[in-house]
């Protein structure tokens, strides 16, 4: 396989609609490509027809392909590109509710909702995820400690199940809890009703501070996280010795109208404007190993030094605070042809020693990871396979070609699992299946619900095959 | 399914008693492989090999497979794929033959060619079709440096590997873009029972080293792997040595 294999992206660009072509599909990390028939339904009726028509190898819904691993690929079967189901159906601007198709992106929702004074309840580090994907992966954001994951804000959803029925699913039911974070394996989410958050402006009021080492960072986060709606720390995993775990914390609130300087209030731009900027795309070919210890170490040094020691109330755009990488289309190409893996785990409060040990090990090993992120999760979410649980979560990107990485991450998994923690399925591409049940105690309930709902395995993905979900 | 590092969870070894095949299986079981099919002629050695791999924690099946009976390949291999996905097929069967004897006995030479080339053509085409239907998988073909340029001392074996090598490269091109990856592995002199008693060539290697190179090649999705890697450069030089000189090089 080489780089010129047609990708799902390319097929999309070429407008391959009904033509059910076999194309190579990968996740955002660009590892482990497999081929599948890519279908692009435009209506719920076409989704139902596609599900009825796919063969023994089943199918899976796919949004904008931001899951890092193999959750939205299905070797030899079908993949439903849901982005053509992109209608926002109704907006209740009084109550702050939106009803939309599953293929609508959070980017689109922001474009439409911000001028009306509403914001999405949860956003991950990218706006380019669909509502269906957000529920299927039960995404979390920088406000998890305060507001939980995405599905916590879902009032109801429509789900097309294996027998072709469309069910109205509401929170508090087994089917809802299996679907939220269920990685698309209970059916195809067609639409959802989502509760929104009111905002006065489209700007963020950001407090920045530096932490000199991991203990300092954890102390600061523990002591003051509850005062912020959004909180996250960028952590330098290449720093060693006394600087081990040094970090830059950025915590934020939606800026209220009176926080804007008078000049901004008078300007022609309204306070609720949403105009994210965009840089040129990352080039198609990047030599392997460009992101080594030296380059990433240099980047980390600059990133840390450039952050203010302490600054409060800085006004930033939503895209700057939440989605810095969205400004560079195809940024995932910077890791070259070999792609990268994202490792994200959580360990519960009380297991800080495990977190420290893992950070030490990553630092000692010199994993060239930039933009590693540490944050605190709040309450667990109802989804049976939802990732967040109360505790510390660390996420880092690592080039897949790093020698010995596979075995190294297996060892970290063992530490995480033995502390009662888990890794995130939307980001996984390499977990040992044997560890899954320890990490997700409700796995057997998920499996038995699926066995009843979809005995023939109509909904199947590479992830579900790999981990026997 | 293979993971992000190309490590397979299920493995089919054609030539189930091959030392390189078993070293590779051991290595992959230590990583992710849980299901292993050992295909070969029914024998105590095949059962022993399976028993040994089971002790490492894998679910191991044996299946009767004869490279010299291509008419049965479709049926024998089809049954394996019907049981579930195979992430990687390792084509590890082959015979060295006895050059001096085989030159005198054309039928013995033909057997070498049929095992190493014809049998491999049929088996790998059957597997390729099944992998293509799966939409993923790797075919790893054990070629040899002997196939890179035939030498006086073992040109019967060498020519059969040359044919296999060319075939596998073409198959890789044919399958490009289908999700199926073909990797040609060209080891030099490997210390195994096949080469026992032969004079060791320079850059001799071991089945374990070949297994390591295969695992690395899977991760990189390589199309060609030399073991040891230095052979790539040695052979690219040897390829261009004029015939009269090449003929006189020591064996």
């Amino acid at each position: 396989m080489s780089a010129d294999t047609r990708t799902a992206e390319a097929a999309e660009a070429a407008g391959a609609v009904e033509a059910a072509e076999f194309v190579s599909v990968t996740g955002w990390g660009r590892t482990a490509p497999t081929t599948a028939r890519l279908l692009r339904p435009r209506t719920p009726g076409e989704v139902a027809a596609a599900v009825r028509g796919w063969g023994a190898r089943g199918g899976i819904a796919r949004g904008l392909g931001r899951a890092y691993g193999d959750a939205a690929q299905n070797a030899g079967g079908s993949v439903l590109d849901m982005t053509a189901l992109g209608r926002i159906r109704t907006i209740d601007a009084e109550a702050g509710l939106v009803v939309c198709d599953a293929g609508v992106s959070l980017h689109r929702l922001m474009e439409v909702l911000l001028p009306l004074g509403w914001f999405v309840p949860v956003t991950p580090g990218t706006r380019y995820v669909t509502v269906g994907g957000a529920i299927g992966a039960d995404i979390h954001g920088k406000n998890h400690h305060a507001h939980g994951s995405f599905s916590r804000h879902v009032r109801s959803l429509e789900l097309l199940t294996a027998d072709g029925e469309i069910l109205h699913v509401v929170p508090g039911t087994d089917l809802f809890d299996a679907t939220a974070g269920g990685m698309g394996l209970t059916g195809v989410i067609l639409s959802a009703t989502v509760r929104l958050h009111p905002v006065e402006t489209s700007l963020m009021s950001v407090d920045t501070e530096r932490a000199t080492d991991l203990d300092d960072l954890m102390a600061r986060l523990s002591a003051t996280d509850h005062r912020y709606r959004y909180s996250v720390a960028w952590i330098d995993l290449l720093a060693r010795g006394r600087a081990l775990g040094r970090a830059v914390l950025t915590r934020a609130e939606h800026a209220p109208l009176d926080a804007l300087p008078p000049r901004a209030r008078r300007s022609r731009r309204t306070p609720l404007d949403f105009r994210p900027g965009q840089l040129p795309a990352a080039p198609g070919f990047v030599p392997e190993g460009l992101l080594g210890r030296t380059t990433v170490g240099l980047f980390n040094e600059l990133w840390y030094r450039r952050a203010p020691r302490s600054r409060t109330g800085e006004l930033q755009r939503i895209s700057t605070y939440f989605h810095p990488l969205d400004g560079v289309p195809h940024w995932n190409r910077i890791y070259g042809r070999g792609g990268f893996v994202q490792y994200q785990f959580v360990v519960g409060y009380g297991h800080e020693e495990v977190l420290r040990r893992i950070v030490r090990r990553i630092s000692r090993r010199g994993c060239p990871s930039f933009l590693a992120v540490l944050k605190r999760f709040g309450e667990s979410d109802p989804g049976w396979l939802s990732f967040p649980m109360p505790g510390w979560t660390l996420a880092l990107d690592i080039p897949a070609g790093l020698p010995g990485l596979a075995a190294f991450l297996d060892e970290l998994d063992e530490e995480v699992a033995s502390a009662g923690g888990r890794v995130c399925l939307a980001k996984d591409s390499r977990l040992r299946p044997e560890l899954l049940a320890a990490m997700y105690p409700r796995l057997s309930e998920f499996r038995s619900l699926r066995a009843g709902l979809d005995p023939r395995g109509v909904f199947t993905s590479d992830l579900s095959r790999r981990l026997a979900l | 399914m293979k993971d992000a590092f190309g490590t397979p969870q299920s493995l089919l070894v054609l030539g189930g008693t091959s030392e390189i095949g078993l070293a590779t299986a051991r290595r992959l079981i230590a990583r992710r492989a849980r299901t292993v099919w050992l295909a070969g002629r029914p024998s105590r050695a095949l059962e022993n090999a399976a028993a040994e791999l089971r002790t490492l924690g894998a679910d191991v099946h044996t299946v009767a497979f004869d490279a010299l009976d291509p008419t049965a390949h479709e049926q024998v291999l089809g049954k394996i794929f019907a049981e579930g996905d195979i992430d990687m097929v390792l084509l590890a069967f082959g015979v060295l033959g006895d050059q001096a004897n085989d030159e005198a006995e054309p039928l013995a030479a033909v057997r070498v060619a049929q095992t190493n080339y014809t049998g491999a053509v049929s088996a790998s085409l059957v597997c390729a079709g099944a992998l293509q239907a799966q939409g993923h998988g790797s075919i790893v073909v054990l070629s040899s440096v002997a196939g890179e340029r035939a030498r006086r001392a073992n040109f019967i074996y060498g020519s059969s590997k040359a044919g296999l090598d060319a075939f596998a490269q073409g198959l890789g091109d044919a399958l490009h873009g289908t999700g199926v990856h073909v990797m040609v592995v060209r080891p030099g002199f490997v210390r195994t029972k096949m080469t026992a008693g032969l004079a060791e060539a320079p850059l001799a290697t071991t089945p374990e080293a070949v297994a390591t190179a295969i695992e690395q090649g899977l991760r990189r999705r390589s199309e060609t792997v030399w073991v040891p890697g230095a052979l790539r450069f040695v052979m690219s030089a040897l390829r261009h040595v004029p015939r009269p000189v090449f003929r006189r090089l020591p064996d």
Side-chain angles (χ1 to χ4, degrees):
Chain A
M1 296 276 266
S2 84
D4 64 358
T5 305
R6 294 201 46 178
T7 60
E9 242 162 53
E12 200 182 307
V17 187
E18 303 86 23
E21 272 187 90
F22 273 84
V23 294
S24 176
V25 183
T26 74
W28 191 241
R30 308 213 305 163
T31 56
T34 61
T35 59
R37 214 157 44 115
L38 189 73
L39 305 160
R40 197 153 188 261
R42 288 159 305 185
T43 62
E46 288 185 7
V47 176
V51 171
R52 269 197 305 276
W54 64 44
R57 292 191 65 84
I60 193 76
R62 179 178 174 96
L64 286 160
R66 256 45 172 204
Y68 288 80
D70 50 7
Q73 43 191 95
N74 177 29
S78 300
V79 169
L80 281 188
D81 174 348
M82 295 292 288
T83 52
L85 274 86
R87 221 156 42 94
I88 296 177
R89 296 187 189 169
T90 56
I91 299 169
D92 183 338
E94 294 297 304
L97 286 174
V98 62
V99 184
C100 62
D101 288 351
V104 173
S105 69
L106 297 193
H107 175 81
R108 180 76 191 130
L109 283 181
M110 286 177 209
E111 273 182 341
V112 173
L113 296 170
L114 271 167
L116 303 174
W118 295 99
F119 191 56
V120 294
V122 167
T123 176
T126 171
R127 298 184 301 280
Y128 297 106
V129 296
T130 60
V131 168
I135 299 169
D138 201 12
I139 56 165
H140 59 270
K142 298 173 176 48
N143 59 341
H144 190 277
H145 63 286
H147 303 101
S149 62
F150 193 88
S151 64
R152 216 94 59 94
H153 307 269
V154 173
R155 277 281 189 84
S156 68
L157 58 89
E158 280 183 306
L159 184 73
L160 178 86
T161 54
D163 54 14
E165 257 189 280
I166 296 177
L167 303 177
H168 182 79
V169 188
V170 293
T173 58
D174 281 358
L175 187 53
F176 187 91
D177 293 348
T179 302
M183 307 311 290
L185 296 168
T186 57
V188 183
I189 298 168
L190 295 173
S191 69
T193 305
V194 182
R195 231 178 10 241
L196 303 166
H197 176 67
V199 293
E200 289 179 17
T201 72
S202 63
L203 292 171
M204 306 300 297
S205 168
V206 183
D207 290 0
T208 306
E209 55 190 291
R210 291 202 298 207
T212 50
D213 61 34
L214 187 59
D215 285 332
D216 181 27
L217 171 64
M218 286 161 74
R220 283 169 195 256
L221 283 172
S222 305
T224 53
D225 240 15
H226 61 276
R227 288 194 292 181
Y228 293 90
R229 183 176 182 91
Y230 302 100
S231 168
V232 69
W234 166 84
I235 163 168
D236 180 1
L237 287 175
L238 282 175
R240 293 177 184 217
R242 291 230 316 265
L244 178 73
R246 68 179 177 179
V248 180
L249 281 75
T250 52
R251 272 93 65 85
E253 299 290 339
H254 293 281
L257 201 53
D258 57 22
L260 267 53
R263 191 165 44 85
R265 266 180 275 173
R266 274 199 312 274
S267 86
R268 265 180 302 150
R269 293 188 61 160
T270 71
L272 286 163
D273 262 0
F274 176 61
R275 283 189 230 160
Q278 200 144 77
L279 297 166
F285 176 80
V286 175
E288 207 80 354
L290 181 71
L291 295 181
R293 248 198 79 86
T294 321
T295 43
V296 175
L298 205 62
F299 172 88
N300 285 3
E301 190 67 36
L302 287 173
W303 194 264
Y304 182 77
R305 298 276 165 218
R306 141 183 183 282
R309 222 172 279 278
S310 173
R311 180 168 59 196
T312 56
E314 184 195 0
L315 293 180
Q316 285 186 1
R317 292 196 290 184
I318 277 170
S319 50
T320 311
Y321 180 67
F322 288 107
H323 318 117
L325 284 171
D326 279 350
V328 186
H330 302 295
W331 65 262
N332 56 338
R333 289 177 182 161
I334 58 173
Y335 287 93
R337 215 179 75 105
F340 69 105
V341 294
Q342 176 159 88
Y343 190 66
Q344 180 168 15
F345 67 91
V346 54
V347 289
Y349 296 123
H351 292 281
E352 284 73 14
E353 206 31 62
V354 177
L355 176 68
R356 284 194 196 95
R357 196 157 54 232
I358 291 179
V359 167
R360 264 199 305 273
R361 290 187 64 170
I362 293 171
S363 153
R364 205 178 313 138
R365 190 147 205 297
C367 286
S369 174
F370 68 111
L371 292 177
V373 163
L374 183 79
K375 69 168 269 86
R376 285 163 62 87
F377 277 152
E379 294 287 291
S380 290
D381 302 290
W384 291 345
L385 297 186
S386 287
F387 167 63
M389 58 184 264
W392 299 90
T393 181
L394 179 67
L396 56 146
D397 293 341
I398 318 169
L402 197 72
L405 182 62
F408 178 66
L409 293 181
D410 279 352
E411 288 169 28
L412 298 192
D413 286 343
E414 295 284 345
E415 297 220 25
V416 168
S418 62
R422 56 176 71 133
V423 299
C424 180
L425 294 183
K427 300 183 172 167
D428 178 57
S429 53
R430 31 108 352 237
L431 179 67
R432 263 177 59 212
E434 291 89 4
L435 282 177
L436 191 68
M439 292 183 167
Y440 288 90
R442 304 196 74 169
L443 178 65
S444 57
E445 281 166 85
F446 179 81
R447 281 181 177 148
S448 65
L449 179 133
R450 224 186 129 214
L453 190 69
D454 181 9
R456 289 180 300 122
V458 168
F459 296 104
T460 305
S461 63
D462 287 359
L463 175 81
S464 78
R465 283 198 187 92
R466 182 166 57 79
L467 294 178
L469 279 174
Chain B
M1 295 304 305
K2 284 198 279 189
D3 70 5
F5 304 109
T7 326
Q9 291 180 317
S10 56
L11 173 67
L12 164 61
V13 184
L14 299 176
T17 54
S18 145
E19 281 169 74
I20 294 175
L22 291 172
T24 307
R26 277 195 294 274
R27 185 154 187 103
L28 294 175
I29 291 169
R31 299 284 315 128
R32 286 287 185 281
R34 289 296 168 266
T35 309
V36 179
W37 292 84
L38 293 183
R41 275 172 308 197
S43 69
R44 171 154 300 185
L46 188 67
E47 292 309 321
N48 288 347
E52 190 231 306
L53 294 183
R54 276 185 205 114
T55 63
L56 302 176
D59 183 13
V60 187
H61 314 270
T62 56
V63 60
F65 166 82
D66 186 354
L68 289 171
D69 183 14
T71 52
H73 286 179
E74 186 102 50
Q75 196 232 341
V76 169
L77 299 173
K79 264 195 211 150
I80 299 171
F81 283 94
E83 297 277 314
D85 283 14
I86 298 289
D87 300 335
M88 170 180 156
V89 176
L90 176 60
L91 222 98
F93 60 79
V95 290
L96 188 56
D98 176 340
Q99 178 73 25
N101 177 57
D102 296 352
E103 278 178 45
E105 274 191 54
L107 280 181
V110 166
R111 264 176 81 84
V112 172
Q114 281 181 335
T115 308
N116 295 358
Y117 179 68
T118 321
V121 165
S122 130
S124 48
L125 281 175
V126 171
C127 292
L131 294 179
Q132 215 178 327
Q134 279 179 192
H136 73 104
S138 290
I139 303 180
V140 179
V141 178
L142 284 188
S143 174
S144 167
V145 285
E148 187 70 3
R149 190 165 183 189
R151 284 187 306 141
R152 168 67 191 94
N154 65 355
F155 66 83
I156 296 174
Y157 172 80
S159 67
S160 73
K161 286 293 188 185
L164 173 63
D165 196 293
F167 170 80
Q169 290 181 53
L171 185 65
D173 292 339
L175 292 175
H176 181 85
T178 64
V180 184
H181 157 231
V182 179
M183 183 164 91
V184 179
V185 181
R186 297 190 189 126
F189 185 99
V190 187
R191 294 181 202 108
T192 61
K193 60 183 185 255
M194 192 203 240
T195 58
L198 297 181
E200 227 172 70
L203 293 173
T205 185
T206 62
E208 287 71 29
V210 180
T212 307
I214 288 175
E215 193 193 355
Q216 198 175 65
L218 288 171
R219 172 161 65 70
R220 297 181 178 159
R221 277 178 254 153
S222 308
E223 295 184 316
T224 317
V225 169
W226 296 83
V227 199
L231 274 177
R232 179 189 295 269
F233 308 103
V234 173
M235 290 313 292
S236 69
L238 274 183
R239 251 191 106 82
H240 301 287
V241 172
R243 287 270 297 276
V245 180
F246 188 75
R247 211 174 280 151
R248 265 180 258 132
L249 289 178
D251 286 337

